[in-house]
Amino acid sequence: MSVSVVEYTSCPVCGSSRIAHVMSCKDYTVSGEQFSIAACADCTVRFTQSVPDAAHIGPYYQSDSYISHSDTDKGLISKLYKLARTYTLAKKRKDVQRATQRRTGQLLDVGCGTGAFLHAMQQAGWQVTGLEPDATARANAQRLYQLQPQDPAALYHMPAQQFDAITMWHVLEHIHDLHGYLNAFQHCLKADGTLMIAVPNYLSKDAQQYGRHWAAYDVPRHLYHFTPASIEVLARQHGFVVKKIQPMWLDAFYIAMLSEQYQQGKGNLPAAFLAGLRSVWHAYRHPGTCSSQVYWLQKQA
């Protein structure tokens, strides 16, 4: 069976024709294939070329090491990830409450995985709705938390101004219908609601250190590779403004652990810790350069 692929002739964010190849990266998680990454000279986004279209990319997610789908405990990195998740779930809950200035409300989590964040928000009194494309992850959400995530196609049929908060934790970079999703968010987010988007940032120190081995390129699953400037452009196109950029400090250490494996062929925790520490220190001194960042978006007045 032939697989349809996406080959961009203009920037998928701003439409500019000023795009060029910058590097090739390997899929270390599933296929071992090489993919080209191109960059836009205008909005600064990078994007993966020749990726399978939405109907055919599913096999590239079929890996036990893909934690957000499988909830696996296999391997040291998975164990460390789940240990850190206890802290990050509590922090995300507090951040949503701060961003919306609400103790409780209506939340939509897009790409909810196995439902850990949804469950944490539900326990805090929020009414929650989850969207998740992977059937295994949806089944795990039901098994673990008695949640019922919907297929992402439901996004296009949500009632107007329903949600106080919409969250995407490392999901936007996976979405084929980038502009369709932003239009849908503009429709179903309340006038005073907050859209929170967490994505990797290739301007970070760890991205510079590891280059094509940087784990957050994660081709072909990551279709886009954002910067603060490209998120600003995307937000404006769809009637949003970026109100706050919040660093995700722990991500630098997690990404460095994976990147060490990819670059050296084996794990090296001391080296990864030092790389993460350097990245965090650089981002502390140069805001907007953290390994991953959360963008707080609100509707333009």
Side-chain angles (χ1 to χ4, degrees), residues 23-26 28 46 202-217 251-279 291:
M23 68 173 72
S24 293
C25 291
K26 180 180 177 180
Y28 289 94
R46 290 181 177 179
Y202 77 77
L203 297 180
S204 64
K205 192 71 172 176
D206 51 300
Q208 295 172 16
Q209 175 178 337
Y210 291 109
R212 61 189 176 89
H213 301 287
W214 188 50
Y217 280 125
D251 279 35
F253 298 96
Y254 175 66
I255 292 299
M257 284 191 293
L258 289 174
S259 301
E260 280 291 326
Q261 283 191 348
Y262 298 167
Q263 187 177 65
Q264 307 299 334
K266 60 181 180 179
N268 187 333
L269 281 179
F273 178 78
L274 288 176
L277 200 60
R278 282 193 295 267
S279 183
S291 185

Short mmCIF file of all heavy atoms in Angstrom, two decimals, residues 23-26 28 46 202-217 251-279 291:
data_model
loop_
_atom_site.label_atom_id
_atom_site.label_comp_id
_atom_site.label_asym_id
_atom_site.label_seq_id
_atom_site.Cartn_x
_atom_site.Cartn_y
_atom_site.Cartn_z
N MET A 23 18.70 20.51 7.94
CA MET A 23 19.36 19.32 8.47
C MET A 23 18.50 18.09 8.20
O MET A 23 17.32 18.20 7.83
CB MET A 23 19.60 19.44 9.99
CG MET A 23 18.32 19.42 10.82
SD MET A 23 18.63 19.35 12.61
CE MET A 23 19.23 21.01 12.89
N SER A 24 19.09 16.92 8.38
CA SER A 24 18.36 15.66 8.35
C SER A 24 18.45 15.02 9.72
O SER A 24 19.51 15.06 10.36
CB SER A 24 18.92 14.72 7.29
OG SER A 24 18.69 15.22 6.00
N CYS A 25 17.34 14.44 10.18
CA CYS A 25 17.29 13.80 11.49
C CYS A 25 16.75 12.39 11.35
O CYS A 25 15.94 12.09 10.47
CB CYS A 25 16.40 14.59 12.44
SG CYS A 25 17.06 16.19 12.92
N LYS A 26 17.18 11.52 12.26
CA LYS A 26 16.77 10.13 12.26
C LYS A 26 15.61 9.90 13.22
O LYS A 26 15.54 10.52 14.29
CB LYS A 26 17.97 9.26 12.67
CG LYS A 26 17.70 7.76 12.73
CD LYS A 26 18.97 7.02 13.16
CE LYS A 26 18.72 5.53 13.29
NZ LYS A 26 19.96 4.81 13.71
N TYR A 28 14.59 7.83 15.85
CA TYR A 28 15.22 6.89 16.77
C TYR A 28 14.21 6.01 17.50
O TYR A 28 14.60 5.03 18.13
CB TYR A 28 16.06 7.64 17.81
CG TYR A 28 17.31 8.27 17.25
CD1 TYR A 28 17.31 9.60 16.83
CD2 TYR A 28 18.50 7.55 17.14
CE1 TYR A 28 18.46 10.19 16.33
CE2 TYR A 28 19.65 8.13 16.63
CZ TYR A 28 19.62 9.44 16.22
OH TYR A 28 20.76 10.03 15.72
N ARG A 46 10.61 25.74 12.00
CA ARG A 46 11.17 24.63 11.24
C ARG A 46 10.09 23.57 11.10
O ARG A 46 9.18 23.51 11.92
CB ARG A 46 12.42 24.05 11.93
CG ARG A 46 13.61 24.99 11.90
CD ARG A 46 14.85 24.40 12.56
NE ARG A 46 16.00 25.30 12.44
CZ ARG A 46 17.20 25.06 12.93
NH1 ARG A 46 17.43 23.92 13.60
NH2 ARG A 46 18.18 25.93 12.77
N TYR A 202 13.54 25.00 19.60
CA TYR A 202 14.85 24.65 19.04
C TYR A 202 15.90 25.76 19.22
O TYR A 202 17.06 25.58 18.84
CB TYR A 202 14.73 24.24 17.57
CG TYR A 202 14.56 25.36 16.56
CD1 TYR A 202 15.64 26.13 16.16
CD2 TYR A 202 13.33 25.61 15.97
CE1 TYR A 202 15.51 27.14 15.22
CE2 TYR A 202 13.18 26.60 15.03
CZ TYR A 202 14.27 27.37 14.66
OH TYR A 202 14.13 28.37 13.72
N LEU A 203 15.52 26.88 19.84
CA LEU A 203 16.49 27.91 20.18
C LEU A 203 17.19 27.64 21.51
O LEU A 203 18.03 28.42 21.95
CB LEU A 203 15.81 29.28 20.23
CG LEU A 203 15.19 29.79 18.93
CD1 LEU A 203 14.56 31.16 19.15
CD2 LEU A 203 16.23 29.85 17.81
N SER A 204 16.84 26.54 22.16
CA SER A 204 17.41 26.24 23.47
C SER A 204 18.87 25.81 23.37
O SER A 204 19.36 25.40 22.31
CB SER A 204 16.61 25.11 24.14
OG SER A 204 16.73 23.91 23.40
N LYS A 205 19.55 25.89 24.50
CA LYS A 205 20.97 25.52 24.56
C LYS A 205 21.15 24.03 24.29
O LYS A 205 22.11 23.61 23.63
CB LYS A 205 21.54 25.87 25.93
CG LYS A 205 23.06 25.80 26.02
CD LYS A 205 23.70 26.94 25.24
CE LYS A 205 25.20 26.99 25.49
NZ LYS A 205 25.85 28.05 24.67
N ASP A 206 20.25 23.19 24.80
CA ASP A 206 20.39 21.74 24.58
C ASP A 206 20.15 21.40 23.11
O ASP A 206 20.79 20.49 22.57
CB ASP A 206 19.47 20.93 25.50
CG ASP A 206 18.03 21.40 25.48
OD1 ASP A 206 17.78 22.56 25.81
OD2 ASP A 206 17.14 20.59 25.14
N ALA A 207 19.26 22.13 22.43
CA ALA A 207 19.05 21.90 20.99
C ALA A 207 20.32 22.23 20.21
O ALA A 207 20.71 21.52 19.28
CB ALA A 207 17.88 22.72 20.49
N GLN A 208 20.97 23.31 20.61
CA GLN A 208 22.22 23.70 19.95
C GLN A 208 23.32 22.68 20.21
O GLN A 208 24.10 22.33 19.31
CB GLN A 208 22.67 25.08 20.44
CG GLN A 208 21.71 26.21 20.06
CD GLN A 208 22.07 27.51 20.74
OE1 GLN A 208 23.17 27.69 21.26
NE2 GLN A 208 21.13 28.45 20.77
N GLN A 209 23.37 22.15 21.44
CA GLN A 209 24.42 21.18 21.78
C GLN A 209 24.27 19.88 21.00
O GLN A 209 25.25 19.35 20.47
CB GLN A 209 24.39 20.88 23.27
CG GLN A 209 25.38 19.78 23.68
CD GLN A 209 25.39 19.52 25.17
OE1 GLN A 209 25.01 20.38 25.97
NE2 GLN A 209 25.84 18.34 25.58
N TYR A 210 23.04 19.37 20.92
CA TYR A 210 22.85 18.04 20.34
C TYR A 210 22.57 18.06 18.83
O TYR A 210 22.65 17.02 18.18
CB TYR A 210 21.74 17.30 21.08
CG TYR A 210 22.12 16.91 22.49
CD1 TYR A 210 21.56 17.55 23.58
CD2 TYR A 210 23.06 15.92 22.72
CE1 TYR A 210 21.90 17.21 24.88
CE2 TYR A 210 23.42 15.56 24.02
CZ TYR A 210 22.84 16.21 25.09
OH TYR A 210 23.20 15.86 26.38
N GLY A 211 22.21 19.22 18.29
CA GLY A 211 22.01 19.32 16.85
C GLY A 211 21.00 18.32 16.33
O GLY A 211 19.89 18.19 16.85
N ARG A 212 21.39 17.55 15.30
CA ARG A 212 20.46 16.61 14.68
C ARG A 212 20.10 15.45 15.61
O ARG A 212 19.17 14.69 15.33
CB ARG A 212 21.05 16.07 13.38
CG ARG A 212 22.36 15.30 13.54
CD ARG A 212 22.98 15.01 12.18
NE ARG A 212 24.29 14.36 12.32
CZ ARG A 212 24.46 13.06 12.39
NH1 ARG A 212 23.43 12.23 12.32
NH2 ARG A 212 25.68 12.55 12.50
N HIS A 213 20.83 15.29 16.73
CA HIS A 213 20.51 14.25 17.71
C HIS A 213 19.55 14.75 18.79
O HIS A 213 19.20 13.97 19.69
CB HIS A 213 21.79 13.74 18.38
CG HIS A 213 22.78 13.15 17.40
ND1 HIS A 213 22.59 11.95 16.79
CD2 HIS A 213 23.96 13.64 16.95
CE1 HIS A 213 23.62 11.69 15.99
NE2 HIS A 213 24.46 12.70 16.07
N TRP A 214 19.15 16.01 18.72
CA TRP A 214 18.26 16.57 19.75
C TRP A 214 16.95 15.81 19.75
O TRP A 214 16.25 15.74 18.74
CB TRP A 214 18.02 18.05 19.48
CG TRP A 214 17.29 18.78 20.56
CD1 TRP A 214 17.55 18.78 21.90
CD2 TRP A 214 16.17 19.66 20.38
NE1 TRP A 214 16.66 19.60 22.58
CE2 TRP A 214 15.80 20.14 21.66
CE3 TRP A 214 15.45 20.07 19.26
CZ2 TRP A 214 14.75 21.02 21.85
CZ3 TRP A 214 14.39 20.96 19.44
CH2 TRP A 214 14.05 21.42 20.72
N ALA A 215 16.60 15.21 20.87
CA ALA A 215 15.45 14.30 20.93
C ALA A 215 14.13 14.98 20.64
O ALA A 215 13.18 14.33 20.19
CB ALA A 215 15.40 13.62 22.30
N ALA A 216 14.04 16.28 20.88
CA ALA A 216 12.76 16.97 20.68
C ALA A 216 12.46 17.25 19.21
O ALA A 216 11.35 17.71 18.90
CB ALA A 216 12.72 18.27 21.47
N TYR A 217 13.38 16.94 18.30
CA TYR A 217 12.99 16.97 16.89
C TYR A 217 12.05 15.80 16.59
O TYR A 217 11.13 15.94 15.79
CB TYR A 217 14.22 16.93 15.98
CG TYR A 217 14.92 18.26 15.84
CD1 TYR A 217 16.27 18.41 16.13
CD2 TYR A 217 14.22 19.39 15.40
CE1 TYR A 217 16.90 19.65 16.01
CE2 TYR A 217 14.84 20.62 15.28
CZ TYR A 217 16.18 20.75 15.59
OH TYR A 217 16.81 21.96 15.46
N ASP A 251 12.02 19.76 31.46
CA ASP A 251 12.10 19.18 30.13
C ASP A 251 13.52 19.13 29.60
O ASP A 251 13.89 18.23 28.85
CB ASP A 251 11.20 19.95 29.16
CG ASP A 251 9.74 19.55 29.26
OD1 ASP A 251 9.31 19.26 30.39
OD2 ASP A 251 9.05 19.53 28.23
N ALA A 252 14.33 20.12 29.96
CA ALA A 252 15.71 20.16 29.48
C ALA A 252 16.48 18.90 29.91
O ALA A 252 17.28 18.37 29.13
CB ALA A 252 16.42 21.41 30.00
N PHE A 253 16.22 18.42 31.11
CA PHE A 253 16.93 17.24 31.61
C PHE A 253 16.41 15.96 30.94
O PHE A 253 17.20 15.08 30.57
CB PHE A 253 16.77 17.14 33.13
CG PHE A 253 17.37 18.31 33.87
CD1 PHE A 253 16.59 19.38 34.24
CD2 PHE A 253 18.73 18.33 34.16
CE1 PHE A 253 17.14 20.46 34.91
CE2 PHE A 253 19.29 19.41 34.84
CZ PHE A 253 18.50 20.48 35.20
N TYR A 254 15.10 15.88 30.77
CA TYR A 254 14.51 14.71 30.11
C TYR A 254 14.97 14.60 28.66
O TYR A 254 15.39 13.53 28.20
CB TYR A 254 12.99 14.80 30.20
CG TYR A 254 12.27 13.70 29.46
CD1 TYR A 254 12.37 12.38 29.87
CD2 TYR A 254 11.47 13.99 28.35
CE1 TYR A 254 11.70 11.37 29.19
CE2 TYR A 254 10.80 12.98 27.68
CZ TYR A 254 10.92 11.67 28.10
OH TYR A 254 10.27 10.68 27.42
N ILE A 255 14.93 15.72 27.94
CA ILE A 255 15.36 15.73 26.54
C ILE A 255 16.84 15.43 26.44
O ILE A 255 17.29 14.72 25.52
CB ILE A 255 15.03 17.08 25.89
CG1 ILE A 255 13.51 17.25 25.75
CG2 ILE A 255 15.69 17.22 24.53
CD1 ILE A 255 12.84 16.20 24.90
N ALA A 256 17.64 15.93 27.37
CA ALA A 256 19.08 15.66 27.34
C ALA A 256 19.37 14.17 27.56
O ALA A 256 20.27 13.61 26.93
CB ALA A 256 19.79 16.50 28.40
N MET A 257 18.60 13.52 28.43
CA MET A 257 18.80 12.08 28.63
C MET A 257 18.56 11.30 27.35
O MET A 257 19.36 10.41 26.99
CB MET A 257 17.87 11.57 29.75
CG MET A 257 18.32 11.94 31.14
SD MET A 257 17.39 11.06 32.44
CE MET A 257 15.76 11.76 32.25
N LEU A 258 17.48 11.61 26.65
CA LEU A 258 17.21 10.94 25.38
C LEU A 258 18.25 11.30 24.33
O LEU A 258 18.71 10.43 23.57
CB LEU A 258 15.82 11.34 24.88
CG LEU A 258 14.62 10.78 25.65
CD1 LEU A 258 13.33 11.39 25.11
CD2 LEU A 258 14.56 9.26 25.56
N SER A 259 18.64 12.56 24.29
CA SER A 259 19.60 13.01 23.28
C SER A 259 20.95 12.35 23.46
O SER A 259 21.63 12.04 22.46
CB SER A 259 19.73 14.54 23.34
OG SER A 259 18.49 15.18 23.11
N GLU A 260 21.36 12.14 24.70
CA GLU A 260 22.61 11.44 24.95
C GLU A 260 22.56 10.02 24.37
O GLU A 260 23.53 9.56 23.76
CB GLU A 260 22.90 11.37 26.46
CG GLU A 260 23.48 12.63 27.05
CD GLU A 260 24.90 12.90 26.59
OE1 GLU A 260 25.67 11.94 26.36
OE2 GLU A 260 25.25 14.10 26.46
N GLN A 261 21.44 9.35 24.56
CA GLN A 261 21.28 8.01 23.99
C GLN A 261 21.40 8.04 22.48
O GLN A 261 22.05 7.19 21.86
CB GLN A 261 19.93 7.42 24.39
CG GLN A 261 19.85 6.92 25.82
CD GLN A 261 18.58 6.10 26.06
OE1 GLN A 261 17.67 6.09 25.24
NE2 GLN A 261 18.53 5.42 27.19
N TYR A 262 20.75 9.01 21.86
CA TYR A 262 20.75 9.09 20.41
C TYR A 262 22.14 9.43 19.87
O TYR A 262 22.58 8.88 18.85
CB TYR A 262 19.75 10.16 19.93
CG TYR A 262 18.31 9.88 20.29
CD1 TYR A 262 17.35 10.88 20.16
CD2 TYR A 262 17.89 8.64 20.77
CE1 TYR A 262 16.02 10.64 20.47
CE2 TYR A 262 16.57 8.40 21.10
CZ TYR A 262 15.63 9.41 20.96
OH TYR A 262 14.32 9.17 21.28
N GLN A 263 22.83 10.33 20.55
CA GLN A 263 24.14 10.78 20.07
C GLN A 263 25.24 9.77 20.33
O GLN A 263 26.09 9.52 19.47
CB GLN A 263 24.49 12.12 20.72
CG GLN A 263 25.75 12.77 20.16
CD GLN A 263 26.01 14.12 20.79
OE1 GLN A 263 26.27 14.22 21.99
NE2 GLN A 263 25.93 15.19 20.00
N GLN A 264 25.22 9.15 21.51
CA GLN A 264 26.31 8.27 21.92
C GLN A 264 25.99 6.78 21.75
O GLN A 264 26.89 5.95 21.87
CB GLN A 264 26.68 8.54 23.39
CG GLN A 264 26.98 9.98 23.72
CD GLN A 264 28.16 10.54 22.94
OE1 GLN A 264 29.05 9.79 22.53
NE2 GLN A 264 28.17 11.86 22.73
N GLY A 265 24.71 6.47 21.54
CA GLY A 265 24.33 5.08 21.43
C GLY A 265 24.10 4.40 22.76
O GLY A 265 23.81 3.21 22.83
N LYS A 266 24.23 5.15 23.84
CA LYS A 266 23.98 4.63 25.18
C LYS A 266 23.69 5.80 26.10
O LYS A 266 24.04 6.96 25.82
CB LYS A 266 25.17 3.83 25.70
CG LYS A 266 26.46 4.64 25.80
CD LYS A 266 27.60 3.78 26.30
CE LYS A 266 28.89 4.61 26.40
NZ LYS A 266 30.01 3.79 26.91
N GLY A 267 23.05 5.51 27.25
CA GLY A 267 22.72 6.55 28.20
C GLY A 267 23.93 7.04 28.96
O GLY A 267 24.90 6.29 29.17
N ASN A 268 23.90 8.29 29.37
CA ASN A 268 24.97 8.88 30.18
C ASN A 268 24.32 9.93 31.07
O ASN A 268 24.24 11.10 30.71
CB ASN A 268 26.05 9.49 29.29
CG ASN A 268 27.26 9.97 30.08
OD1 ASN A 268 27.14 10.30 31.26
ND2 ASN A 268 28.42 10.00 29.44
N LEU A 269 23.86 9.49 32.25
CA LEU A 269 23.12 10.39 33.12
C LEU A 269 23.93 11.60 33.59
O LEU A 269 23.42 12.72 33.59
CB LEU A 269 22.58 9.62 34.33
CG LEU A 269 21.31 8.78 34.09
CD1 LEU A 269 20.92 8.05 35.36
CD2 LEU A 269 20.18 9.66 33.60
N PRO A 270 25.21 11.45 33.98
CA PRO A 270 25.97 12.64 34.38
C PRO A 270 26.08 13.67 33.26
O PRO A 270 25.90 14.87 33.49
CB PRO A 270 27.34 12.07 34.76
CG PRO A 270 27.06 10.66 35.16
CD PRO A 270 25.97 10.21 34.23
N ALA A 271 26.37 13.21 32.05
CA ALA A 271 26.48 14.14 30.92
C ALA A 271 25.14 14.80 30.62
O ALA A 271 25.07 15.99 30.31
CB ALA A 271 27.00 13.40 29.68
N ALA A 272 24.06 14.02 30.71
CA ALA A 272 22.73 14.57 30.45
C ALA A 272 22.35 15.60 31.50
O ALA A 272 21.77 16.65 31.18
CB ALA A 272 21.70 13.45 30.42
N PHE A 273 22.70 15.32 32.76
CA PHE A 273 22.40 16.27 33.82
C PHE A 273 23.13 17.58 33.60
O PHE A 273 22.55 18.67 33.75
CB PHE A 273 22.77 15.68 35.19
CG PHE A 273 22.53 16.62 36.33
CD1 PHE A 273 21.24 16.81 36.82
CD2 PHE A 273 23.58 17.31 36.92
CE1 PHE A 273 21.01 17.69 37.88
CE2 PHE A 273 23.35 18.20 37.97
CZ PHE A 273 22.06 18.38 38.44
N LEU A 274 24.40 17.50 33.22
CA LEU A 274 25.17 18.72 32.97
C LEU A 274 24.61 19.49 31.78
O LEU A 274 24.53 20.72 31.81
CB LEU A 274 26.64 18.37 32.73
CG LEU A 274 27.43 17.93 33.97
CD1 LEU A 274 28.84 17.51 33.58
CD2 LEU A 274 27.47 19.05 35.01
N ALA A 275 24.21 18.76 30.74
CA ALA A 275 23.63 19.43 29.57
C ALA A 275 22.32 20.12 29.94
O ALA A 275 22.06 21.25 29.51
CB ALA A 275 23.40 18.42 28.46
N GLY A 276 21.50 19.44 30.74
CA GLY A 276 20.25 20.04 31.18
C GLY A 276 20.49 21.26 32.04
O GLY A 276 19.81 22.28 31.91
N LEU A 277 21.49 21.17 32.92
CA LEU A 277 21.81 22.29 33.81
C LEU A 277 22.30 23.49 33.01
O LEU A 277 21.90 24.64 33.28
CB LEU A 277 22.88 21.84 34.81
CG LEU A 277 23.03 22.67 36.09
CD1 LEU A 277 21.73 22.68 36.89
CD2 LEU A 277 24.17 22.12 36.93
N ARG A 278 23.15 23.24 32.02
CA ARG A 278 23.63 24.35 31.17
C ARG A 278 22.47 25.00 30.43
O ARG A 278 22.41 26.22 30.29
CB ARG A 278 24.67 23.84 30.19
CG ARG A 278 26.05 23.61 30.78
CD ARG A 278 27.09 23.41 29.69
NE ARG A 278 26.84 22.19 28.93
CZ ARG A 278 27.38 21.01 29.21
NH1 ARG A 278 28.19 20.89 30.25
NH2 ARG A 278 27.12 19.95 28.47
N SER A 279 21.55 24.16 29.94
CA SER A 279 20.41 24.69 29.20
C SER A 279 19.51 25.54 30.09
O SER A 279 19.06 26.62 29.70
CB SER A 279 19.61 23.53 28.59
OG SER A 279 18.54 24.01 27.81
N SER A 291 14.21 24.81 26.93
CA SER A 291 14.07 23.64 26.07
C SER A 291 12.64 23.40 25.64
O SER A 291 12.36 23.03 24.50
CB SER A 291 14.61 22.40 26.81
OG SER A 291 14.59 21.28 25.97
#
